[in-house]
Amino acid sequence: MARTIGSHGPKTMEAIRKAGLRLIFEHGYAAMSLRQLAAEVGIQSGSLYNHISTKQELLFELIRDHINELLRQLDRALQGQERPADKLRAFTAFHVSYHMTRKREVFIANSELRSLEPKNYEEIVALRGAYERRLAEILSQGVAEGEFEVVDVQVATFAILALLTGLTTWYRPGGRLTKEAIVAAHEKLVLSSVAPGTTPNQAQAKRPLSRSAATSAKPERR
């Protein structure tokens, strides 16, 4: 790779972050060395310390900045939305669109969480919790206003996030479906999953008994 001009300044830091993101994504945090990172950027190993003090600091900042950007863009996507259904649709569209273009950041934020030191881990988990609460608040509002039917808000929050984030494992640009079609499909899945309707227990109660079931359900003669 061509040598970066100079070992100071924002351009070099940006090159370090991009190279670090790619190397951690491709090789894993534990396998990546600072010597390897410096070589990728095109500077001496010692020059890295003008920008980062440790490999742990780089990982922490990559994950922290990713989640902060996620929160910032989500709040912007939700602006002006009042009805819970509109908020949930906006949340879904944003989450899916963002994760289509940030595969490396998403992968590292999920898979390398275990590599963070305790203090850094706690801060990242708190930020993740703030993002999860955005969705939980939308679902809670929808339940309170009668737009959604949710058995448990926390379970629904985790289930929806797992569904939406799962596309990072299979989405490839230029595939059979357009980005718009993929977003629309996820919107339909999420909105239909919380739409008011008959619960399984109610459905079972209303289902007509079969002849054999009706016979066995009769009280015994005494």
Side-chain angles (χ1 to χ4, degrees):
M1 178 178 178
R3 178 173 296 275
T4 300
I5 299 176
S7 58
H8 299 274
K11 288 186 177 180
T12 302
M13 185 64 229
E14 183 61 22
I16 290 171
R17 290 171 63 89
K18 286 183 177 180
L21 185 70
R22 185 179 66 78
L23 291 172
I24 294 173
F25 176 76
E26 293 179 354
H27 305 289
Y29 172 77
M32 187 198 76
S33 69
L34 291 182
R35 184 182 297 274
Q36 181 185 21
L37 176 59
E40 183 73 14
V41 177
I43 60 177
Q44 297 296 320
S45 297
S47 297
L48 280 175
Y49 298 105
N50 293 322
H51 306 278
I52 58 172
S53 58
T54 62
K55 186 171 71 167
Q56 173 70 198
E57 178 187 320
L58 175 63
L59 176 66
F60 170 65
E61 290 185 354
L62 287 173
I63 297 177
R64 182 194 61 191
D65 292 351
H66 158 66
I67 301 179
N68 277 330
E69 181 67 9
L70 194 66
L71 283 165
R72 186 185 68 81
Q73 291 197 31
L74 172 61
D75 288 341
R76 187 170 62 185
L78 293 176
Q79 284 181 356
Q81 305 297 340
E82 298 295 336
R83 293 180 57 246
D86 293 334
K87 289 181 180 180
L88 186 55
R89 187 175 292 106
F91 180 96
T92 300
F94 162 74
H95 191 96
V96 171
S97 299
Y98 185 96
H99 284 63
M100 284 181 180
T101 59
R102 304 294 182 92
K103 182 175 181 178
R104 290 177 177 177
E105 291 91 337
V106 172
F107 178 83
I108 291 172
N110 291 328
S111 66
E112 296 294 353
L113 192 64
R114 65 185 186 276
S115 299
L116 291 171
E117 295 173 354
K119 182 180 178 181
N120 293 336
Y121 176 88
E122 290 175 5
E123 184 171 340
I124 294 303
V125 168
L127 285 174
R128 284 163 59 107
Y131 189 80
E132 292 163 0
R133 282 193 298 275
R134 300 291 202 283
L135 176 56
E137 288 167 0
I138 293 171
L139 296 177
S140 295
Q141 181 190 356
V143 171
E145 296 182 10
E147 285 197 38
F148 301 155
E149 184 176 306
V150 176
V151 175
D152 185 280
V153 168
Q154 195 63 64
V155 171
T157 296
F158 291 147
I160 290 172
L161 287 173
L163 167 68
L164 298 180
T165 305
L167 71 84
T168 58
T169 64
W170 57 262
Y171 171 71
R172 297 291 183 277
R176 179 174 58 87
L177 297 175
T178 64
K179 290 183 178 181
E180 292 76 16
I182 293 173
V183 168
H186 282 81
E187 287 179 356
K188 186 173 182 179
L189 284 169
V190 171
L191 269 296
S192 63
S193 72
V194 298
T198 304
T199 63
N201 288 338
Q202 291 172 328
Q204 183 66 34
K206 294 180 179 180
R207 186 180 301 162
L209 292 174
S210 65
R211 181 181 297 274
S212 59
T215 302
S216 63
K218 293 179 180 179
E220 296 180 357
R221 294 182 180 179
R222 297 186 181 275

